[in-house]
Amino acid sequence: MCAVLMLLGQLERMNGEAMVRDVETARQITAKIFHLIQTQEKSGKEVMSKGSSGMEVILASLEVFTILRFSLSHLMLFYCYLSLGRGRRVGVFVSKGGTGILFQILITAIKELPPSEELMLQLHSLLAKVGPKDRKFGVKARLSGALNITVNLIKQNLQNTKLLLPCLQVLRVYSTNSVNAISLGKNGVVELMFKIVTPYSKKNTSLLKVALDALGALLKSKTNARRAVDGGHVPVLLALYQDWHRNDTRHRHMLIRKGLLVCLRNITNIKLGRKAFLDADGMRILYNSSTECLPVRTLDPLVNTSSLIMRKCFPKNRLPLPTIKSAFQYQLPHVPAVGPVAQLYSQPPGVDDVVDESDDNEETDADTENDTENDEDEKDQRSANDDIETDLNKLHPKKNPGRPFEELRVYERFFLELSEDFQVSNFVPMLTRFQVPTAQALSPKLVPKSGSQGDCNSTKGQHTLPSPSVPTPTPPAPLTPLELDTIHLTKDQDKKEEARIPSPDTCTTLSSLARPPSQGNWGSDCGSEGAEDEGGEGAVLEVPDTALLLPLHDPDLYVEMVKGTHSVPQYAEVAYPDYFGHVAPTFREPLQERVYGVQRSKIFQDTERLIHPNDIVDKVVYDLDIPSCPVIEDDGESLKFNSQFESGNLRKAVQIRKYEYDLVLNSDINSNHYHQWFYFEVSGMRVGTTYRFNIINSEKSNSQFNYGMQVLMYSVQEAISGRPRWVRTGTDICYYKNHFARSSIAAGGQKGKSYYTMTFSTSFSHKDDVCYFAYHYPYTYSTLKMHLSKLEALRTPQIYLRQDVLCKTLGGNGCPLLTITAMPESNSNDHICQFRNRPLIFLSARVHPGETNASWVMKGTLEFLMSTSPLAASLREAYIFKIIPMLNPDGVVNGNHRCSLSGEDLNRQWQNPNPELHPTIYHTKSLLQYLAHIQRAPLVFCDYHGHSRKKNVFMYGCSVKETVWQSNISATSSDLQEDLGYRALPKILSQIAPAFSMASCSFVVERSKESTARVVVWREIGVQCSYTMESTLCGCDQGKYKGLQIGTRELEEMGAQFCVALLRLKRLTGLRNHQHLLDLESDIIGTQAKVVSPTTYVMEEDEPPFLEPIDYSAESNDEDAEPENEHAAEVQGNPDHLDQLSDSETNHRD
């Protein structure tokens, strides 16, 4: 250690002149220093340590040697010294100005004629080692003139591989600077590189690898890429790649092959490059070579890069549609002045909205996104914090009833419980239903299926509590219910016709969209063979007896409800799953493990369509754009599809190969996008054959289908056998960008965008089955009406239940409003006063039709509230519940994913809803405004939703403090005064509900959400506990259900647990001085104080971004949430299981 310090001291004392006079001594001292550094690790650390001037002294000596011929040995010593440093020494060398000294030596040395080859070799070897550690390396090289020196050396030494290799290594670093790359291209370096790159050879492979790396870096410049295309180098690269692929049989030179592919990848970032690639038969070349590489796992980098290139170069296809607007037309009473709907209506006739006329601008958009599969997600990540509300005036809730009380007084009729005196009829509440007339009546174009029963008032029996004096209306004779037990099971008979609901005039008044009786059998050939074997001739389809399993389901009642439901296409059929019902399976359905390389194999199959076009059938088998006959008859070689029933969504089916189908989803009505929800029927399948289905017009850039979610399938044969249930199904599931072009009209003005494919494969177990596929567990509007009707039968004298129709929708469907609480104990003033003064809880659901899980959660809530459980009774005694279980009936009925018939997202209309276009939102907000006026604003408001890109169940709330924490805005302590009670309910849920994740909750207010129910009710109505409760469509990654897909049992349990949480909230807030609640809240904040960001602000995604463009990982990198409370009360599917639960208990059933 002392020796090194002494030597450094000697060297430092030799000033510049002394060093020149005594060169030999200086060189000997330097050599001894490097020797000690190489042989003694401690000596090296001393030179590198903080505060040491060792590196400066050595560099000073090197700088002096630049004028002498003794630099070579000095450089060799330096190279050895830096090579042993594991990177840190190089970093210190750069930080002390070493790069500039090396460039100075290079410029000085090149002036000698001839320049020393050994010196050039050592200099470039050192520069190659230093360059990657110096961010300004390229700029320093260009400004110093070193750039041209290196290029000239390469040109002069093409045959001198010893010097050429380090020069190319330095050029590789130079080229990573975009300005350098353009400059080098102008100087002919691209063409120079193609002289160095050679066909297969066992010689000079290291040199070839470096040359390809440098060429790949140069070709990132679009100017250089064009230069390569103009020079005819694309076929050359492909020929070279083929040559190396054929000859490198032992795969020892994979990096050279990868280097060639990287060059092709960068060239094909421009339109000219893609055209040249296709013209050179690049698709076939890469497809064949990649296919041969597939069996060798170590060659995956080659396969992945080849696949990326092929996907980029695959010609953009047109969606097989006449227009991206919905296949169903509904004329609005008036069109909004601005927005997407206004643009849709102002679009000139004859405009092709499926693809853009020209893709001339494609280069600017597509080129930047080609290497990044998840460009949209990255933009979301970058701009997420920009969306946080920073206006403190908007963050502080200010009650703003908005409308004069005289206008709101009409809503008093929906709050009879606040004025009911219970002096008559043995305390039976008034059950007369009121309806606020709004929105236009049913469009004249649409013919009601059931005559006078077209509106909800005519089905009064289903909405009003049973009363001997009010008989249920008898439907007209032609409206016979769906009697499946009359269907004879013979293969050649048209079996589906009995399953259709006839119109009053024997189908004569049905619109042209309704299929006439002569149109085939529609895939209802159910169970013919099995039934004949068992029952012989004349066997019939037996409806499974599920009354015990499904107490709220009645097939005949469901059919009656369908008759009063209005759809734009005037559906005349009932889907079997909705008729039979769904019994949650008893077995677990784990998240599907992703098979390695599954997406890549699917993309290769897609590429084969271009390589082998003769193998493609390309046969349309179902098309809603042919309203008279959407099902195309064939010879029985194709599957039959159908989606013409309530909530159905499938617009077109195209047979691609014998057992593969492309499926196109319908846009939301009065919209040209929102393709996500699907629900369709399939028949005519072969047993044991694997079919592939591709939904080809998805729009989101990521999906839970990449992270373990499966589609749902319902088998009619299974239902007949006593197992009526939706089950998760599908293998080889993945979700990826495809080659179908999205027009700028569809993509909000952006050009060069593509759709995404969701693909899955499945096989069928039963011959002559009819199966249904759905995005999530369907829950139709008619199902809701049936459930509400059945719930009335559960009412006991102790339950106050009233059902009103809040308003009519645009489509003429009623929007139910429920009031549930406990009857007063007596008609004494004290009891009636207590009854009237109970706090209100306001719940709503299903504003987005595709989020069917929200309805299943609501079903769990309603069943719990109507149950005989002591907890339910306590809850009814504690609160008055106002519930709107379906805010968007029209969207649900017509198979929309997100919008109502107005073509707008109703959950973005709460700030200023239009009474004609958004009646359900307008009147729901009016109810809340009325309550605010009379000083009875709800204690809790919660809107149930579903989330398509996150796991678990969680809540979004509103907090001034947590929003300020995330936004870096200055705020005074008075600005941050806030009752922390908004966290209490989600915290309780995280303790008792297995599916709920507190870690996923967010209480940040975003600008983009200021028109949502949650924010408007918080800001304008003044409800502090205003929430959106999001339930996953996929499954859970924490708690009891970790690793499992979510099912209806878990969703209904969540609805019941929400009720239990409200009861606990009541008991906590009822304690003296609220001390218990304050302790809970301080605990909540205390546990989150150290890590604010991950727990308070939740991004749109909770999965990792796709780092690999081809083979996406199926695993989530998220850390598990905190373990669930071992003493949590877990509600089972039957709410009565809660009978024995109480807040004081510590041991609960698992």
Side-chain angles (χ1 to χ4, degrees), residues 57 97 129 148 151 253 258 272 294 401 426 502 532 565 576 586 687 717 723 728 741 745 754 912 1019 1077 1117 1134 1147:
V57 173
K129 186 168 288 293
N148 292 329
V151 172
H253 305 296
K258 177 71 182 291
L272 281 173
L294 281 174
N426 210 13
E532 286 175 356
T565 297
Y576 281 104
T586 55
V687 175
Q717 283 277 29
R723 296 178 293 277
R728 299 278 185 172
I745 294 174
S754 298
N912 189 27
R1019 184 178 286 161
L1077 181 58
N1117 291 335
N1134 185 347
N1147 295 310

Side-chain angles (χ1 to χ4, degrees), residues 226 280 433 439 565 588 669 672 843 889:
R226 291 189 191 94
R433 295 187 320 151
T565 297
R588 291 185 164 195
I669 293 174
N672 57 21
L843 307 178

Side-chain angles (χ1 to χ4, degrees), residues 46 139 159 212 230 327 415 536 698 727 734 877 896 962 971 1012 1139:
E46 179 64 25
V139 177
Q159 305 305 319
L212 285 170
D230 294 339
F415 297 97
S698 300
V727 293
C734 54
E877 292 166 4
N896 284 5
E962 298 196 36
T1012 61
D1139 287 356

Side-chain angles (χ1 to χ4, degrees), residues 130 191-192 201 368 790 979 1034 1132:
V130 169
E191 288 75 11
L192 187 63
S201 170
T368 58
K790 297 289 284 185
D979 185 345
C1034 177
Q1132 304 302 318

Side-chain angles (χ1 to χ4, degrees), residues 857-873:
V857 176
M858 179 58 78
K859 179 174 182 282
T861 294
L862 291 173
E863 288 188 37
F864 180 83
L865 286 174
M866 293 298 295
S867 72
T868 56
S869 159
L871 287 180

Side-chain angles (χ1 to χ4, degrees), residues 65 439 459 492:
F65 285 163
T459 54
D492 57 348

Side-chain angles (χ1 to χ4, degrees), residues 277-523:
F277 177 84
L278 290 172
D279 292 344
D281 202 19
M283 293 290 281
R284 184 186 57 79
I285 292 170
L286 291 195
Y287 174 81
N288 290 339
S289 62
S290 300
T291 305
E292 292 168 10
C293 290
L294 281 174
V296 185
R297 188 78 171 261
T298 55
L299 298 181
D300 277 357
L302 302 182
V303 178
N304 291 344
T305 307
S306 297
S307 183
L308 179 63
I309 296 168
M310 288 187 286
R311 293 178 70 191
K312 270 195 300 189
C313 297
F314 202 114
K316 288 289 181 72
N317 287 358
R318 175 195 177 94
L319 271 182
L321 295 175
T323 174
I324 54 173
K325 289 185 284 192
S326 173
F328 305 137
Q329 305 302 315
Y330 181 86
Q331 181 64 44
L332 293 175
H334 72 265
V335 179
V338 294
V341 179
Q343 294 174 10
L344 197 75
Y345 273 79
S346 63
Q347 186 175 301
V351 170
D352 187 353
D353 60 358
V354 181
V355 293
D356 295 325
E357 287 184 13
S358 169
D359 62 351
D360 289 340
N361 293 330
E362 180 185 3
E363 211 162 283
T364 58
D365 294 316
D367 294 345
T368 58
E369 70 171 6
N370 276 324
D371 289 340
T372 305
E373 189 67 22
N374 237 19
D375 54 306
E376 292 173 28
D377 296 336
E378 290 177 358
K379 290 175 186 173
D380 289 343
Q381 298 276 339
R382 287 195 298 270
S383 62
N385 282 3
D386 296 337
D387 189 34
I388 298 176
E389 182 59 73
T390 56
D391 185 343
L392 285 172
N393 291 323
K394 290 186 177 181
L395 282 176
H396 282 286
K398 295 178 181 177
K399 292 186 181 181
N400 177 26
R403 295 169 61 191
F405 186 59
E406 290 306 314
E407 286 185 26
L408 295 170
R409 195 182 292 276
V410 66
Y411 295 94
E412 184 178 9
R413 66 184 67 179
F414 294 105
F415 297 97
L416 298 178
E417 66 280 1
L418 302 183
S419 58
E420 177 67 73
D421 60 10
F422 297 96
Q423 299 301 313
V424 294
S425 298
N426 210 13
F427 315 129
V428 175
M430 292 179 63
L431 299 171
T432 309
R433 295 187 320 151
F434 295 95
Q435 177 184 324
V436 179
T438 62
Q440 278 195 338
L442 200 58
S443 168
K445 295 180 182 177
L446 308 179
V447 182
K449 294 195 294 292
S450 51
S452 62
Q453 289 210 353
D455 65 24
C456 285
N457 278 332
S458 61
T459 54
K460 190 171 184 178
Q462 88 190 53
H463 288 271
T464 316
L465 290 178
S467 169
S469 60
V470 185
T472 303
T474 304
L479 289 175
T480 55
L482 178 60
E483 295 290 345
L484 292 187
D485 58 355
T486 63
I487 299 176
H488 288 272
L489 299 177
T490 56
K491 294 182 184 178
D492 57 348
Q493 187 175 350
D494 186 347
K495 299 142 191 95
K496 190 73 172 265
E497 288 310 306
E498 280 89 354
R500 297 178 57 199
I501 304 171
S503 68
D505 301 318
T506 61
C507 297
T508 55
T509 61
L510 281 177
S511 74
S512 61
L513 286 177
R515 299 196 292 256
S518 60
Q519 299 294 337
N521 60 19
W522 307 103

